[in-house]
Amino acid sequence: MMMTHGHAQSQPPVYPSLPPAHRVPLLLLPSTASSSARKARACPHPAAMPSKLSVWYNKLVDFNVESLFAKPRGSGPPRTVFVNEPIPAEYYDHKHRVKKEHIFSSNQVITSKYTAITFLPRNLLEQFRRIANVFFLAIAILQFFSIFSTVSPGLVILPLLIVLTITALKDGYEDFKRHQSDRSINYSQVRVLKGGDFANENPMAGKAKTFARAMVPAFRRSTKSKRTQGDVENLQHGAPPEGIHTGGADLVQLPTRTEEVGVELDDGQPVEEAGGLFHHHGASRNPHWKMTIWEDLRVGDIVKIMDDEPLPADILICASSEEENVAYVETKNLDGETNLKSRNACASLTHLNTARACAKKENAFRVDCDRPDNNLYKLNAAVIAPDGSKTAVDSNMVLLRGTVLRNTAWVIGVVLYTGEDTKIVLNSGATPSKRSRVERQMNPQVFINLLLLAAMATACAIADAVLEQHYFPLGAPWLFGDTQGDDNPKINGLITFVYALITFQNIVPISLYISIEGVRTCQALFIYFDKEIVYEKTGQATLARSWNLSDDLGQIEYIFSDKTGTLTQNAMVFRQCTIDGRVYKGDEVEVDSDITDVGAIPEADEHADDSKVNVRGTSLPPPSVKQSSASSSTDVPNPLTAPAVKKAEHVLAHFTDSALIEDIAAAREAVSGSREDNHGRMLNGFWSVLALCHTALVSVDPDTGAIQYKAQSPDEAALVQAAADVGFVFRGRDREVLTLQTPFARGDKYERYELLHILDFTSARKRMSVVLRKLGGEDGEGDGKVYLLSKGADNVIIERLHPGQEAAVRTTEDHLAEFASEGLRTLTLAYKVVPEDEYEAWAKRYHEATVSLDEREEKVEAVSEEIEYGLSLLGATAIEDRLQDGVPETIADLKEAGIKIWVLTGDKLETAIAIGHSTNLIGREDNIVIIRGGGEGATPVYMQMLNAVEQFFPESGILEEDGVKLDDSMVLPQQQSRGYPLQRVNTGGSSLVGHNNGDRPGGFVLVIDGAALTYALGDEKHKNLLLKLAMQCEGVICCRVSPLQKALVVKLVKEGVGAMTLAIGDGANDVSMIQAADVGVGISGEEGLQAVNSSDYAIAQFRFLKRLLLVHGHWSYARNGNMIVNFFYKNIICIGVLWWFQIYCAWSSQYVFDYTYLLFWNTFWTIAPVIGIGLFDRIVDSHVLMAMPELYKHSMNHEYFGTKLFLIYMFDGVVQSALIFFLILYSYNSTSARHDGYDVAQYEFSSSIAVAAVMAANLFNGLNTHVWTGWIFFAVSLGIVLVWVYTAVYSALAPSLLTTFVYGNDYYLFHSAYFWFTILLVSVLSLLPRYIAKAYKLAFSPNDLDRARWLHKLDPTHDFTQDRHGGLADVSVGGGRKRHAPRARPQLFHASRTDMATGMRSVNRGFDFATEEGGVAMQRMQSHLSERHVQAAPAKRRRNASALMQAFSIRRTLRRKKHGGSQSSQPEPSLLASASAPSSPGHDARGHHHRTSDAS
């Protein structure tokens, strides 16, 4: 077990009674080693060592393993996609192989890190980024040389192999789950054109042979993948759960019936000409749609997507089931926006609406495309027909992967980009190899230990060389024969250096890493089995997908959150409304039923035929109705006869209000001109605007026969449905005729309106208007009147009202403020009656603007302004964007914990601000600073940020820093003389300016949009100013951001501040930021599982994030940090004892005690207490951490681990090792403890040292534990018991059984008073300094954690919520305390906001409305309406005596005349005012007086 230095000799005892100068050993004992080359390189140039070392270390730390294995894929050249055409000859090289640049990526998307080939090298590289692993490998290699060997070389390297193997297995399992998730996506199914003359010759790259595919048997890969609870780690790029399509045909052998094999026809033709027989391949000769897995999809394939199905690739639309070949798509997985987007087919491909048409050779074409690009909103391509004609293609004709088809029965399209070339994948980074902050901090600490080891080895080498060269000429007997080439005084110093490295190698414990891995694995299991963070609705537990980041959860400083699906449910509830100064808050009890009965009016309708109607605007089939027909319209149940209304998608509840119902009933019976009658007219007008001013479509559920509204955004659907719930039922649109059912309908007939114009909603206009003509009834009432119905932001609508409504405006503004304070999204409603002559003149100007070739958008907006004035105020609505459960409370608690929260969303600015209010991110007294990007002539983004700093943070010192000041080159010439004083802006209608804007006691919240971020992230100067401005704010909201911008913002904070970051989201658009953050969390709730595949932790609800961070993160960081420093301590105490012995063994690197004590030090004697700390220690109980979020600051401030704490524990170990060694050494150095009078041998007193060191180390670890449970008692006592038993048994083993140097030691030890006395003495003295320090701190300088533990000890039932907001500061440990009433959380209210782009200050009243701006469907609708207006002459608009219509006003038959009096002097209104409502030119001037330009 021991080897001699140069030659073997027997080991004599070293007598402690001898003077130190004469204690010269006869041999030098080797044990272990370290890398000496590092020290040797630094020695020649000691002065340059720090800088070189720093550079070397930084390079090593920053080394990116992914760069070696992630193939750097360029953007590639522009491509040409050949559809049913052969590829040209120039695509081939001289060997008739397709050239590499013309080969397209396969549609297989892999998010895992490893393959079967790269797993071993990549994983080893990742593990050897740990300096300790490199050191252990070097030591193991040294011991393969016989001169340095202590035990078997295989046994030496075994611990390292175990560590590497266990870590590799853990990493492999994690990645195997990613491969399974990838398979769920890649094996989804889609309908692909097959058969006929169709052939796709576009060359595709081969699919990767991945780790998981190699391990999944072939017969299992061919069966249907069933979605189970275990699929929580699913879906990344494929978007929603609908991505796992197994409802189609299974990928198994084909049966004999066509409807069972995934073959679908859409032209009514049989699959086979005779008998339905198959070819030998089981496929039809006729064109058909074949179910194919996503990863087999090819560029140039023609696919058919059905309603509610996700897109498998980036696809050019050829045709759709809808009118004008429009398709609606949900893009929330790309950009986070919840409203639907409209896309249209390429004009030259609309004839490709059946499989047979697509497969014809004469319909072949090619598509010239731009190179793959990550810009979601840019695509340039052209369709080239065989005759050479070209048709331009833009992004409005393409459906992107990750989106979902909605409200469209089917779409046929051609695949342009697949796999890695799709925009969603280009916006996602490679799966990173994340390392925890603790692990990164351990590297410099290990490096410090290595330097210490090198210093110790160097000291031993120098001392040994000096002593040998001194004693060798004197003929020292222990140096006899040292004349060999490898054994002489000149070379033995170097050999001693290596021996010392081996002897003291435990200063860097290899068991530390395997212990950390085991502890983190158990911590992941603790998270999984925590019932508090299990979503009861689905049974979904919180899952740790990366097991090595648990301690990072306790150090999070910034949280970056998505909005849709993360903070919100993407579901709306119509909560309240104000009409004519009266607020209707709805009944408190929500109606559970999905259907509200509204009744149908039985009337003869020329359009109705057998209760079926062919209504294009209302023919959207529900998701369950899968249409295969290519016809442009479809027969569906008649919405005119539907007796009920079903809840729209993303609308949670029907709106009911008993007071409103009573008011409507009272108005129906009211006397004409009475108060009830006037209020009834306001009610009629308000709900009629909601029922008519929208672009929603109507479908009829075939199962229930109820109307269901299909809208582009959830809030628009909520508004229309709320009107229907009240009785104002929108029955659909037949071409341009809108049908409305109202409670005030005359003669129980439907009202019908001709839709003349739609003035679309945009972010600049902040309003939407429709121009309608009321189609007259039999008595001619209201015949032909033109109405303008508007809804929009309160400030925009109010400034366009006609004079005389000041009282109503003030009341409405008060109600709006109340709505906004509750976090509701508001819209203000108004209307006007437009005189016929004014309308005709305006319509002509509007048409001219719409066909203008120059500045069309500006002209259309200007003409729209002309008619939107002189409005009459109706009221306002308040909609709740339903949050995930517990979101406001969670965000408030996380903010109280000191964590800054940034919301990164693709929604527009108003929506982002509204969510900020409702989630507590923006408080009632906060100040909002808005930075917006603009086009040419807008305020530069840098100037906006500089103005914000100068106005709000002049004392921050940012303006005094170098390079911050504005350069002349950054200011546009037309803006150099332009100032932007932040002052009141006179809007005329009402004051929109806060009285103390910018000076409110709350903090600041920065809101910046994606256009501004493009500039702000463009160069270092912009980024530096943006970061400094953001650091001054309590929160930041980034809106209209792309997935790539989300990742860039995360990296900006992560790298610019060096803070620990966490990103949380649920969609594929969140993948980039999840990967960029230190910790990524995916929401795996009821629907969205998209981000989980790339996340480190999967939770079901946002509220679980609080417990994950405040409890598990805090515990894990405190446990791991405490465990690591105690691990270093217990090893330094052992190495310290060995080091002090070198003074008495001529620095020969000998062991002071038997080698087995050192061998078992980290495996049996001292491993249990540190593992117990890592698993069972609790800094404070979980309910205390949840009740007092501010305690998290101790964890966030890195108090539990760091170099300072490491050095303190190292110093403790050195001091204790000195106490143990010298006290026991000099105790035994006195009178002999033996009864026979002989002096003690070395292993007699050194065994006492070994036992005492084990006891001191274990008890010291226990002293550093915060809670003593049964497991802690067991862990602390285990090593002590084992070392005592081992000492007794090992010393009693007879030489016939095992040759040892300690035989009989038990007889001398256990009979010796020195043994018992010294162990007791040194154990107490070793622990005493730490015990005194802890006692002093607890008594005289306790922190909040100490006080919390003390209170919990005194009263286990104590309610710690009473001690929030600094309440623990009044607790005296050991004494009394003062009671304070808990501070109430500030309520939400309307915050002040400053738009730095315009200098405009205003008070936020909750306005928000989501809809597609400038969409294809809206453009086509406006174009048709404008063309119809030109074609129809005004003179032909006559009253239709047979039409069953009536005026907007309440019908006369429902009004009673006043008794005994004349008619009211008030004019008879239509809608709610008479046709003579203000419409004179004079009102035009007043109307313009109340408008204020908001342009930059």
Side-chain angles (χ1 to χ4, degrees):
M1 188 165 293
M2 303 185 201
M3 300 296 298
T4 64
H5 179 191
H7 53 275
Q9 294 183 11
S10 61
Q11 169 64 35
V14 178
Y15 296 101
S17 58
L18 293 177
H22 295 88
R23 294 186 193 126
V24 182
L26 297 182
L27 54 90
L28 302 174
L29 292 179
S31 178
T32 49
S34 175
S35 89
S36 59
R38 190 178 299 108
K39 185 73 178 176
R41 285 200 304 269
C43 287
H45 306 286
M49 183 182 67
S51 60
K52 288 186 177 181
L53 185 62
S54 176
V55 171
W56 174 84
Y57 178 75
N58 288 334
K59 286 183 178 179
L60 183 65
V61 170
D62 296 337
F63 173 69
N64 187 8
V65 175
E66 290 83 13
S67 62
L68 298 177
F69 297 93
K71 294 182 291 185
R73 180 177 175 82
S75 58
R79 63 176 58 190
T80 299
V81 179
F82 298 91
V83 182
N84 211 9
E85 286 187 356
I87 59 177
E90 57 266 23
Y91 273 43
Y92 297 96
D93 59 14
H94 64 283
K95 294 184 179 180
H96 202 68
R97 294 178 302 191
V98 178
K99 296 178 181 178
K100 187 176 181 180
E101 60 267 24
H102 299 305
I103 298 178
F104 304 132
S105 297
S106 75
N107 203 40
Q108 184 186 44
V109 174
I110 299 175
T111 62
S112 51
K113 292 195 296 186
Y114 306 117
T115 66
I117 297 175
T118 65
F119 174 73
L120 188 61
R122 179 170 180 175
N123 188 263
L124 288 177
L125 274 175
E126 290 174 353
Q127 294 200 58
F128 279 102
R129 287 194 295 181
R130 296 171 173 171
I131 294 177
N133 284 347
V134 178
F135 166 69
F136 298 140
L137 180 63
I139 292 295
I141 292 174
L142 280 175
Q143 295 188 68
F144 272 88
F145 297 96
S146 58
I147 191 173
F148 302 123
S149 179
T150 55
V151 292
S152 169
L155 188 61
V156 169
I157 203 171
L158 183 62
L160 178 61
L161 292 178
I162 292 175
V163 171
L164 296 178
T165 301
I166 292 177
T167 305
L169 289 175
K170 176 186 73 70
D171 294 341
Y173 174 77
E174 291 178 359
D175 205 60
F176 182 73
K177 301 301 290 184
R178 293 191 184 97
H179 279 279
Q180 289 182 324
S181 301
D182 290 340
R183 183 179 181 275
S184 298
I185 293 295
N186 293 325
Y187 273 64
S188 302
Q189 298 184 38
V190 64
R191 297 164 184 79
V192 178
L193 179 65
K194 299 291 182 181
D197 297 329
F198 182 79
N200 185 2
E201 298 186 14
N202 291 283
M204 301 291 293
K207 295 185 293 185
K209 303 282 187 181
T210 63
F211 181 49
R213 283 178 61 88
M215 298 186 65
V216 179
F219 71 90
R220 292 193 61 186
R221 290 201 296 269
S222 65
T223 60
K224 176 189 289 190
S225 61
K226 295 184 179 180
R227 187 175 175 192
T228 65
Q229 187 64 36
D231 285 332
V232 72
E233 310 98 331
N234 281 348
L235 311 179
Q236 173 188 358
H237 298 297
E242 295 94 333
I244 306 180
H245 281 294
T246 55
D250 299 340
L251 302 175
V252 294
Q253 68 177 19
L254 299 176
T256 57
R257 293 178 58 84
T258 61
E259 60 266 27
E260 297 176 357
V261 299
V263 175
E264 180 180 301
L265 300 179
D266 56 9
D267 53 8
Q269 300 295 322
V271 177
E272 289 296 333
E273 286 76 3
L277 299 176
F278 288 93
H279 292 296
H280 60 284
H281 293 298
S284 167
R285 287 195 301 262
N286 286 349
H288 60 276
W289 303 108
K290 177 68 177 177
M291 298 300 291
T292 306
I293 59 176
W294 279 19
E295 68 175 24
D296 289 340
L297 197 63
R298 300 163 56 90
V299 172
D301 276 343
I302 297 179
V303 297
K304 184 175 184 179
I305 310 297
M306 307 302 288
D307 191 24
D308 291 332
E309 290 184 352
L311 276 297
D314 293 351
I315 294 172
L316 171 64
I317 305 174
C318 296
S320 82
S321 61
E322 303 308 297
E323 185 180 16
E324 301 291 339
N325 286 291
V326 173
Y328 296 93
V329 66
E330 183 181 77
T331 63
K332 69 176 183 179
N333 298 300
L334 283 179
D335 54 24
E337 293 193 51
T338 57
N339 52 287
L340 301 185
K341 306 294 194 311
S342 55
R343 300 288 184 261
N344 64 302
C346 179
S348 60
L349 302 179
T350 54
H351 60 287
L352 303 179
N353 52 14
T354 65
R356 192 173 295 274
C358 293
K360 291 181 179 179
K361 280 294 184 182
E362 56 267 26
N363 289 335
F365 60 95
R366 71 177 191 270
V367 185
D368 287 343
C369 305
D370 202 353
R371 65 184 73 243
D373 185 10
N374 60 18
N375 189 333
L376 297 176
Y377 310 105
K378 173 187 174 185
L379 189 141
N380 296 318
V383 173
I384 304 176
D387 59 2
S389 60
K390 293 185 177 181
T391 305
V393 172
D394 59 21
S395 58
N396 284 328
M397 301 179 186
V398 176
L399 302 178
L400 301 180
R401 177 172 178 144
T403 60
V404 182
L405 191 67
R406 299 290 191 196
N407 294 358
T408 309
W410 53 263
V411 161
I412 293 175
V414 59
V415 177
L416 298 184
Y417 300 97
T418 52
E420 295 180 355
D421 293 332
T422 57
K423 291 187 180 294
I424 190 171
V425 178
L426 289 172
N427 272 276
S428 303
T431 304
S433 298
K434 295 182 179 180
R435 293 193 302 159
S436 71
R437 185 190 186 106
V438 167
E439 184 177 339
R440 296 195 301 268
Q441 287 179 314
M442 279 176 57
N443 266 350
Q445 295 173 6
V446 170
F447 194 71
I448 290 173
N449 277 5
L450 290 178
L451 290 178
L452 181 60
L453 174 62
M456 295 166 64
T458 302
C460 288
I462 294 174
D464 180 71
V466 170
L467 290 174
E468 286 201 25
Q469 292 181 26
H470 173 73
Y471 286 105
F472 184 75
L474 300 179
W478 63 87
L479 297 176
F480 178 77
D482 286 1
T483 57
Q484 308 299 319
D486 59 348
D487 184 12
N488 62 76
K490 294 183 179 180
I491 195 67
N492 282 348
L494 181 60
I495 295 177
T496 300
F497 176 83
V498 178
Y499 271 130
L501 294 178
I502 297 174
T503 299
F504 305 128
Q505 66 171 316
N506 274 4
I507 197 171
V508 182
I510 190 171
S511 56
L512 171 60
Y513 288 97
I514 193 64
S515 301
I516 291 176
E517 294 293 343
V519 165
R520 284 174 172 164
T521 300
C522 292
Q523 289 170 352
L525 293 175
F526 292 160
I527 292 173
Y528 181 79
F529 290 113
D530 188 350
K531 295 182 179 179
E532 298 293 328
I533 47 179
V534 173
Y535 192 35
E536 295 180 357
K537 193 171 182 179
T538 61
Q540 175 62 53
T542 297
L543 183 70
R545 291 172 47 83
S546 296
W547 297 345
N548 62 330
L549 300 177
S550 56
D551 38 62
D552 276 354
L553 292 173
Q555 306 171 73
I556 300 301
E557 299 170 68
Y558 288 85
I559 291 178
F560 299 88
S561 175
D562 178 42
K563 181 191 78 70
T564 305
T566 303
L567 301 179
T568 66
Q569 299 181 23
N570 190 29
M572 304 293 172
V573 179
F574 189 98
R575 280 297 180 201
Q576 304 179 39
C577 60
T578 172
I579 308 172
D580 193 23
R582 190 176 303 178
V583 175
Y584 297 97
K585 296 189 175 183
D587 296 335
E588 294 183 1
V589 180
E590 294 183 358
V591 179
D592 294 331
S593 174
D594 285 344
I595 296 177
T596 296
D597 292 328
V598 294
I601 298 176
E603 61 173 31
D605 186 4
E606 62 272 19
H607 297 287
D609 182 15
D610 296 331
S611 74
K612 298 284 183 179
V613 64
N614 191 1
V615 181
R616 181 61 255 147
T618 62
S619 64
L620 286 172
S624 60
V625 180
K626 303 296 183 184
Q627 298 182 0
S628 298
S629 173
S631 62
S632 61
S633 61
T634 309
D635 287 339
V636 296
N638 188 358
L640 299 178
T641 59
V645 175
K646 184 180 179 180
K647 282 193 301 189
E649 187 179 10
H650 302 304
V651 177
L652 293 181
H654 292 283
F655 179 72
T656 59
D657 189 294
S658 54
L660 176 62
I661 300 301
E662 293 174 1
D663 287 349
I664 292 177
R668 288 169 57 93
E669 305 299 329
V671 175
S672 178
S674 65
R675 181 178 179 182
E676 291 78 10
D677 177 51
N678 292 334
H679 186 64
R681 298 179 188 182
M682 296 291 286
L683 292 173
N684 186 41
F686 180 90
W687 294 108
S688 295
V689 170
L690 285 186
L692 296 171
C693 186
H694 58 79
T695 58
L697 304 176
V698 177
S699 65
V700 178
D701 184 10
D703 297 328
T704 62
I707 287 176
Q708 187 174 25
Y709 295 111
K710 304 285 187 177
Q712 286 190 346
S713 63
D715 42 359
E716 186 168 79
L719 293 173
V720 182
Q721 181 180 289
D725 294 335
V726 174
F728 292 78
V729 184
F730 175 61
R731 290 283 178 174
R733 186 182 78 244
D734 184 2
R735 292 190 168 84
E736 283 73 39
V737 176
L738 310 180
T739 304
L740 177 66
Q741 173 186 343
T742 78
F744 300 111
R746 183 177 58 81
D748 290 329
K749 301 297 182 182
Y750 291 138
E751 298 179 0
R752 287 186 170 85
Y753 300 86
E754 180 186 6
L755 179 61
L756 302 177
H757 303 281
I758 298 178
L759 308 182
D760 196 10
F761 179 93
T762 66
S763 297
R765 284 170 42 80
K766 295 186 179 180
R767 63 191 181 277
M768 173 188 178
S769 300
V770 293
V771 182
L772 305 171
R773 182 186 301 279
K774 189 167 189 179
L775 301 180
E778 292 180 351
D779 60 355
E781 181 183 352
D783 181 21
K785 291 178 181 177
V786 177
Y787 297 94
L788 173 76
L789 313 182
S790 295
K791 62 182 179 183
D794 55 288
N795 61 322
V796 174
I797 295 297
I798 290 174
E799 69 184 9
R800 287 164 172 77
L801 299 177
H802 69 76
Q805 304 181 70
E806 288 76 11
V809 167
R810 283 194 298 271
T811 303
T812 302
E813 284 183 336
D814 291 341
H815 293 161
L816 286 169
E818 180 183 346
F819 297 159
S821 69
E822 299 176 16
L824 303 178
R825 303 165 64 162
T826 62
L827 273 178
T828 305
L829 277 58
Y831 91 106
K832 71 176 286 188
V833 179
V834 184
E836 185 69 31
D837 55 348
E838 179 184 341
Y839 166 70
E840 293 298 338
W842 176 86
K844 184 178 181 181
R845 294 194 304 274
Y846 183 79
H847 176 71
E848 292 173 353
T850 57
V851 297
S852 174
L853 299 179
D854 299 325
E855 300 179 346
R856 178 182 301 175
E857 294 180 0
E858 291 78 3
K859 292 180 179 179
V860 169
E861 184 171 343
V863 176
S864 299
E865 287 261 359
E866 294 178 7
I867 198 172
E868 293 173 319
Y869 75 94
L871 305 178
S872 297
L873 181 64
L874 291 169
T877 62
I879 295 178
E880 177 188 359
D881 188 354
R882 180 66 64 86
L883 300 175
Q884 299 278 2
D885 295 337
V887 165
E889 295 78 11
T890 300
I891 288 182
D893 288 339
L894 292 175
K895 289 174 65 177
E896 191 173 335
I899 301 174
K900 290 189 175 182
I901 300 176
W902 292 28
V903 174
L904 312 179
T905 177
D907 280 319
K908 59 190 181 67
L909 187 140
E910 287 80 9
T911 303
I913 292 177
I915 292 300
H917 283 285
S918 60
T919 58
N920 277 351
L921 187 62
I922 302 174
R924 59 170 297 181
E925 293 295 341
D926 283 350
N927 305 277
I928 304 173
V929 181
I930 300 174
I931 307 292
R932 292 194 295 183
E936 185 177 354
T939 309
V941 172
Y942 195 86
M943 180 180 287
Q944 294 183 48
M945 294 191 292
L946 205 61
N947 285 341
V949 173
E950 185 175 3
Q951 180 73 16
F952 303 116
F953 312 108
E955 305 298 328
S956 63
I958 298 175
L959 296 175
E960 285 72 32
E961 297 182 12
D962 294 336
V964 172
K965 288 295 184 181
L966 192 65
D967 297 334
D968 292 339
S969 60
M970 304 187 69
V971 185
L972 299 176
Q974 63 268 30
Q975 296 169 338
Q976 290 180 352
S977 61
R978 185 193 220 172
Y980 292 91
L982 302 178
Q983 58 188 4
R984 278 178 83 98
V985 176
N986 182 18
T987 59
S990 64
S991 175
L992 301 179
V993 182
H995 64 281
N996 57 348
N997 189 41
D999 298 320
R1000 297 194 174 188
F1004 288 83
V1005 176
L1006 176 66
V1007 180
I1008 183 169
D1009 67 6
L1013 274 178
T1014 301
Y1015 293 102
L1017 299 174
D1019 57 59
E1020 291 301 323
K1021 186 170 183 176
H1022 278 77
K1023 285 199 292 187
N1024 182 51
L1025 183 57
L1026 171 63
L1027 186 61
K1028 292 181 183 302
L1029 174 61
M1031 292 302 103
Q1032 302 297 320
C1033 301
E1034 288 188 348
V1036 177
I1037 299 176
C1038 301
C1039 53
R1040 308 289 284 187
V1041 291
S1042 67
L1044 198 56
Q1045 284 179 322
K1046 290 185 177 184
L1048 293 175
V1049 170
V1050 173
K1051 290 180 180 177
L1052 175 68
V1053 176
K1054 179 181 175 182
E1055 298 171 1
V1057 183
M1060 290 294 294
T1061 58
L1062 179 146
I1064 179 171
D1066 75 321
N1069 61 317
D1070 304 316
V1071 168
S1072 294
M1073 73 169 182
I1074 284 175
Q1075 292 177 335
D1078 292 292
V1079 178
V1081 178
I1083 300 289
S1084 59
E1086 299 174 71
E1087 299 179 3
L1089 299 174
Q1090 298 81 359
V1092 171
N1093 198 36
S1094 297
S1095 67
D1096 304 305
Y1097 292 87
I1099 62 178
Q1101 293 278 286
F1102 182 86
R1103 69 177 188 272
F1104 295 157
L1105 190 62
K1106 176 185 174 182
R1107 185 172 178 87
L1108 186 65
L1109 297 184
L1110 270 55
V1111 176
H1112 290 285
H1114 199 156
W1115 277 356
S1116 296
Y1117 178 46
R1119 288 167 173 171
N1120 293 353
N1122 197 14
M1123 179 185 73
I1124 292 170
V1125 292
N1126 277 279
F1127 220 112
F1128 280 119
Y1129 152 80
K1130 74 179 185 63
N1131 274 41
I1132 202 67
I1133 197 175
C1134 173
I1135 298 303
V1137 169
L1138 297 179
W1139 169 254
W1140 300 126
F1141 180 65
Q1142 302 309 306
I1143 301 174
Y1144 305 97
C1145 69
W1147 305 94
S1148 56
S1149 304
Q1150 281 195 64
Y1151 300 111
V1152 63
F1153 37 64
D1154 187 84
Y1155 179 71
T1156 56
Y1157 283 101
L1158 183 64
L1159 186 66
F1160 297 143
W1161 182 267
N1162 284 319
T1163 52
F1164 296 115
W1165 310 150
T1166 61
I1167 192 67
V1170 288
I1171 295 295
I1173 290 174
L1175 293 180
F1176 306 113
D1177 191 18
R1178 292 196 304 272
I1179 195 76
V1180 72
D1181 282 1
S1182 61
H1183 71 278
V1184 180
L1185 294 174
M1186 291 291 285
M1188 302 189 65
E1190 59 264 35
L1191 295 179
Y1192 185 79
K1193 294 178 182 178
H1194 294 277
S1195 181
M1196 186 176 65
N1197 294 333
H1198 318 300
E1199 293 183 7
Y1200 304 123
F1201 187 70
T1203 302
K1204 179 181 177 181
L1205 201 61
F1206 162 77
L1207 293 175
I1208 291 174
Y1209 274 76
M1210 291 286 286
F1211 178 75
D1212 248 331
V1214 171
V1215 171
Q1216 292 182 31
S1217 68
L1219 286 173
I1220 292 170
F1221 180 80
F1222 289 107
L1223 284 176
I1224 293 179
L1225 172 67
Y1226 285 105
S1227 295
Y1228 276 93
N1229 199 24
S1230 61
T1231 305
S1232 175
R1234 294 188 178 186
H1235 62 275
D1236 57 7
Y1238 282 97
D1239 206 347
V1240 296
Q1242 174 184 340
Y1243 285 146
E1244 188 175 333
F1245 83 90
S1246 66
S1247 295
S1248 301
I1249 292 177
V1251 174
V1254 170
M1255 291 187 62
N1258 284 8
L1259 291 174
F1260 185 81
N1261 293 157
L1263 188 62
N1264 291 320
T1265 305
H1266 299 92
V1267 57
W1268 278 75
T1269 62
W1271 285 108
I1272 296 297
F1273 275 104
F1274 171 77
V1276 170
S1277 60
L1278 178 63
I1280 297 174
V1281 172
L1282 288 178
V1283 75
W1284 279 84
V1285 172
Y1286 176 80
T1287 300
V1289 173
Y1290 187 55
S1291 302
L1293 293 178
S1296 59
L1297 297 176
L1298 181 67
T1299 303
T1300 68
F1301 293 103
V1302 296
Y1303 175 65
N1305 217 12
D1306 57 325
Y1307 175 79
Y1308 293 105
L1309 287 178
F1310 299 143
H1311 291 82
S1312 170
Y1314 286 162
F1315 175 76
W1316 301 101
F1317 175 74
T1318 55
I1319 287 179
L1320 178 62
L1321 176 66
V1322 300
S1323 297
V1324 172
L1325 290 179
S1326 297
L1327 301 179
L1328 194 59
R1330 175 55 63 100
Y1331 179 81
I1332 293 175
K1334 291 174 75 73
Y1336 178 87
K1337 180 179 179 297
L1338 181 64
F1340 299 102
S1341 182
N1343 59 25
D1344 289 344
L1345 293 170
D1346 298 323
R1347 296 186 181 98
R1349 284 193 293 268
W1350 176 257
L1351 279 179
H1352 186 54
K1353 178 179 176 62
L1354 294 179
D1355 182 11
T1357 62
H1358 178 73
D1359 182 10
F1360 282 90
T1361 57
Q1362 302 177 10
D1363 302 301
R1364 299 182 70 160
H1365 311 291
L1368 287 178
D1370 301 311
V1371 177
S1372 175
V1373 177
R1377 59 161 295 149
K1378 297 178 181 179
R1379 292 288 181 182
H1380 288 272
R1383 298 183 185 180
R1385 180 174 296 160
Q1387 296 181 355
L1388 295 175
F1389 199 65
H1390 47 281
S1392 165
R1393 56 190 285 179
T1394 303
D1395 192 334
M1396 302 307 300
T1398 62
M1400 183 175 182
R1401 290 175 172 175
S1402 62
V1403 175
N1404 180 67
R1405 294 196 179 93
F1407 159 71
D1408 185 29
F1409 183 69
T1411 188
E1412 182 185 19
E1413 298 182 18
V1416 172
M1418 180 63 69
Q1419 292 173 2
R1420 289 175 177 261
M1421 191 180 298
Q1422 290 172 328
S1423 176
H1424 289 325
L1425 292 174
S1426 180
E1427 291 174 1
R1428 286 185 62 256
H1429 175 76
V1430 172
Q1431 294 169 0
K1436 294 183 180 179
R1437 290 198 180 97
R1438 302 291 185 185
R1439 295 182 179 178
N1440 183 3
S1442 62
L1444 302 177
M1445 322 296 178
Q1446 81 272 354
F1448 234 32
S1449 59
I1450 303 174
R1451 66 180 189 266
R1452 291 191 183 125
T1453 56
L1454 292 181
R1455 307 191 197 115
R1456 295 193 304 270
K1457 294 184 179 180
K1458 292 185 178 179
H1459 300 286
S1462 60
Q1463 289 287 349
S1464 171
S1465 60
Q1466 296 180 354
E1468 177 78 14
S1470 291
L1471 184 57
L1472 61 88
S1474 68
S1476 61
S1479 58
S1480 64
H1483 284 89
D1484 186 30
R1486 286 191 294 271
H1488 282 289
H1489 174 74
H1490 286 274
R1491 292 196 298 272
T1492 299
S1493 175
D1494 191 28
S1496 298

